[in-house]
Amino acid sequence: KERKERGFEVTDRILLEFEASQMINDTIASYKDYIASEVLASSINIVSSTALNENAFELVVNENTVKLNIQKA
């Protein structure tokens, strides 16, 4: 959904930054390679919320808020 809303092509590689709880961070770290391959991410980085830009968005995963920023690689 976010790719389409941002005008990305399905095949565009992306850079993914996120800020979440430690539990979510640990889970993403454990599955980082799999997630990257599924979403075509060149990199996945944990950042502080102050590092996220104005285009960041939020989603809720099992009652945990995750703030994400994606951009073309």
Side-chain angles (χ1 to χ4, degrees):
K1 174 182 171 185
E2 287 299 321
R3 281 178 175 271
K4 186 175 184 178
E5 288 180 6
R6 293 168 189 263
F8 297 173
E9 297 296 325
V10 173
T11 56
D12 287 340
R13 304 286 299 173
I14 61 169
L15 304 175
L16 176 61
E17 298 175 325
F18 73 96
E19 187 265 332
S21 69
Q22 190 61 50
M23 181 187 72
I24 298 291
N25 291 350
D26 292 345
T27 302
I28 291 174
S30 294
Y31 294 96
K32 188 176 182 177
D33 292 337
Y34 174 74
I35 294 166
S37 69
E38 289 294 308
V39 301
L40 297 179
S42 296
S43 68
I44 298 176
N45 298 306
I46 300 169
V47 297
S48 69
S49 59
T50 58
L52 294 171
N53 68 30
E54 68 278 354
N55 294 319
F57 60 97
E58 291 184 356
L59 60 96
V60 177
V61 178
N62 294 331
E63 300 179 9
N64 294 285
T65 300
V66 180
K67 295 178 184 176
L68 297 159
N69 185 49
I70 60 173
Q71 59 189 27
K72 285 186 184 180

